[in-house]
Amino acid sequence: MAIDWTTFTLEVINFLVLVWLLKRFLYQPVIEVLGRRQAGVARILEEARRVEAEAAERRAQFERRLADWEAEKASLRAGLQAELETERGRQLSALSRTLVAERERQRAQEDHRAAEQRRELEAQAILQARRFATRLLSRLAGPELEGRLIEVFIADLTQPPGDERAGEDRFAGLDLTALDEEGRARIISAFPVAEAQRQRLAAALTARLGRPLPLDWAEDGSLLAGLRLTLGPWQLNLSLADELDAFAQAGNHAG
Amino acid sequence: MESLPALFHLGPLGITATVVTTWGLLLILALGSWLVTRHLSLDQPGLAQTALEGAVQAVDEAIEAVLPGRGGLLLPFIGTLWLFVALANLIGLVPGLSAPTGDLSTTAALALLVFFSVHWFGIRAVGPRAYLRHYLAPSPLLLPFHLLGELSRTLALAVRLFGNIMSLEMAALLVLLVAGLLVPVPVLMLHVIEALVQAYIFGTLALIYIAGGMQSGPEASPATTSPPPAVPVP
């Protein structure tokens, strides 16, 4: 088969035309679409990278903030721990002081209770002693003992003031200015007093007081023995019952 | 050897069946391209668009594999070569039509275009002096061999395609005449494969020749060059 030059030339032209046509209607549009799509994909990728970078930045920021929070939390916790330690120490100290005070209070209460018991025992002992002494002296009491007590009273009255041999001066505080002219002295005895002894007692009183006083005599068996002299607001006791009462009261006061 | 008879005349020009068939292919390809690319969608490509984009990208990647960064420049020529030769080879399967590539005038025209394309793209890539100097490398004594190589490979390009397609058509015709109506079907299947393979070989050889021309100067950096793919040459 030989080359037909007309066909050869036309085929060259045909192919060149075909190249132009396909470039114009096929390759160019497809390449443009592909390019636009690749540009779109590139934009999306760029946007995705930007979002990723932003997310990474936010994540880093969040982690930094978290670290700051953790540090702050640790600091606050340390501060709170220190405060708790301080508060615990303070409360332990206060508790210790309270315990010491409570112990002191209990000890004081115990001492007070013991003192009360001791005082009560002493009072009971004094009461028992008084009863015992009362029973004993009731059996011993009689006119003779009373007479001796009256003699002791008369001796005390006749003792000059300031004489220390007589012991306590029972009449040091007597003030007869409070008695009016009609003032009377009242003498109570456990047994009837003999007339002679009455006169000696009146004489001793007159000598002691500096003026005579009318005397009213009475008897009271509860005195056991001895007498009780009443001068206005004053009362002088020289009886076993009064002495026992004084003993009991002195014991209570001493307790 | 005699050429095909003219079907009609346009003035002094005798129009053969090869030219008419080529015009028909031209029309089909132009109309088809226009129709397919008329409504290309950016976001939701259809099946045809996806296939078309895949095909164009495959051609572009094949060129980029040989000449990195030159896909946009060579795509129209190389892509059209592959497409036209493949269709021209296959059109012979249509009863009553003959493949344009079974005509030596067509294959010679294509080979001549490849020949000039090699120099055109080579001079564009490295400049005329550097391009012409490569014919004297490594020694001016080799200039005749270079020239002979240029002519022989162009001739081989034309004759190889013409011979293969003509022989395929003749074989199919002989089998049809001898064996009956349906017997040549397997032969026709072989025709399809052979047509596609020959189109691939023709386009790839053209690409390699053009790549050789564009990389012939000293400006061609090693980074932009790559070894050409192995092409079976029957």
Side-chain angles (χ1 to χ4, degrees), chain A residues 1 16 38 60 83 118 162 183 198 207 215 219 242 255:
Chain A
M1 181 176 283
L16 291 176
Q38 283 177 352
E83 285 184 9
R118 192 168 56 248
R198 286 186 181 185
L215 298 175
E219 292 175 5
D242 289 331

Side-chain angles (χ1 to χ4, degrees), chain B residues 18-41:
Chain B
T18 301
V19 174
V20 173
T21 309
T22 302
W23 283 346
L25 282 176
L26 216 76
L27 191 64
I28 291 170
L29 284 172
L31 273 176
S33 299
W34 180 70
L35 288 173
V36 170
T37 60
R38 203 171 36 162
H39 299 297
L40 290 179
S41 171

Side-chain angles (χ1 to χ4, degrees), chain A residues 90-218:
Chain A
R90 193 182 64 77
Q91 289 194 359
L92 282 176
S93 177
L95 182 62
S96 177
R97 285 197 302 273
T98 305
L99 284 175
V100 169
E102 182 68 19
R103 206 172 288 133
E104 289 293 329
R105 193 176 64 80
Q106 286 185 353
R107 188 181 297 124
Q109 284 182 348
E110 195 64 30
D111 291 346
H112 180 69
R113 193 160 46 246
E116 285 291 328
Q117 285 180 349
R118 192 168 56 248
R119 202 160 35 240
E120 192 175 342
L121 286 174
E122 285 177 355
Q124 287 179 358
I126 288 170
L127 188 61
Q128 295 254 350
R130 186 181 182 282
R131 286 178 187 159
F132 175 74
T134 302
R135 274 201 304 273
L136 180 63
L137 291 175
S138 298
R139 296 180 63 183
L140 294 176
E144 298 82 11
L145 181 57
E146 185 177 80
R148 282 200 299 275
L149 287 172
I150 290 171
E151 288 304 324
V152 169
F153 184 64
I154 292 170
D156 289 342
L157 284 174
T158 56
Q159 189 73 25
D163 191 350
E164 294 181 353
R165 287 173 301 179
E168 184 185 359
D169 187 3
R170 296 170 181 265
F171 311 103
L174 276 177
D175 184 9
L176 296 179
T177 57
L179 297 174
D180 54 9
E181 291 294 331
E182 297 299 327
R184 302 179 69 87
R186 178 179 174 80
I187 295 174
I188 302 171
S189 62
F191 299 98
V193 180
E195 186 59 33
Q197 210 169 16
R198 286 186 181 185
Q199 288 177 1
R200 283 196 293 116
L201 180 60
L205 275 173
T206 302
R208 180 72 185 198
L209 299 176
R211 66 169 182 173
L213 285 176
L215 298 175
D216 295 332
W217 291 89

Side-chain angles (χ1 to χ4, degrees), chain A residues 1-4 7-8 11, chain B residues 1-4 18 99-111 154-163 166:
Chain A
M1 181 176 283
I3 294 179
D4 180 64
T7 304
F8 175 84
E11 287 295 88
Chain B
M1 298 174 81
E2 55 182 21
S3 59
L4 289 174
T18 301
T101 46
D103 187 343
L104 187 59
S105 302
T106 303
T107 57
L110 295 176
T154 305
L155 185 63
L157 205 59
V159 172
R160 182 188 305 112
L161 181 59
F162 162 69
M166 186 197 68

